[in-house]
Amino acid sequence: MGWIAAIFVGAIIGWIAEKVMKSDMGLLMNIIIGIIGSSLGRWVFGDVLGIGSAYQAGSFNLSGLLFGVLGASLLIFILRFFKIMKK
């Protein structure tokens, strides 16, 4: 059940980040960006910056979705910077 929830929440986070960053990806990339971006958001905002609610990144609640989308948007920005992903 955990993997199904991760895929579902990752798809939502990836889709929102796709819209925020004006990117065009498919469902599979949305899931991948959402899951990896949530981990990145948890690390950057939770571990590095010390924001306590960032540890919920990737959870299906408001702060979890917020920090997941921030991490996924940061991931899209990094991928564009290194020209791995197109606009």
Side-chain angles (χ1 to χ4, degrees):
M1 185 67 181
W3 284 102
I4 295 171
I7 290 171
F8 179 72
V9 174
I12 292 172
I13 289 172
W15 179 77
I16 295 170
E18 173 187 57
K19 298 304 176 192
V20 168
M21 296 297 290
K22 295 179 176 68
S23 184
D24 188 27
M25 304 178 288
L27 177 63
L28 182 62
M29 279 303 291
N30 283 342
I31 293 170
I32 293 169
I33 294 289
I35 292 172
I36 296 172
S38 293
S39 299
L40 180 65
R42 181 178 299 156
W43 178 72
V44 168
F45 298 108
D47 293 336
V48 175
L49 297 177
I51 300 171
S53 61
Y55 289 108
Q56 296 180 0
S59 301
F60 195 65
N61 56 35
L62 185 59
S63 64
L65 291 174
L66 174 70
F67 286 107
V69 170
L70 287 173
S73 298
L74 179 63
L75 180 61
I76 292 171
F77 176 79
I78 291 169
L79 292 174
R80 284 183 183 167
F81 181 78
F82 289 109
K83 304 202 185 306
I84 296 172
M85 179 182 281
K86 295 180 182 179
K87 285 188 177 184

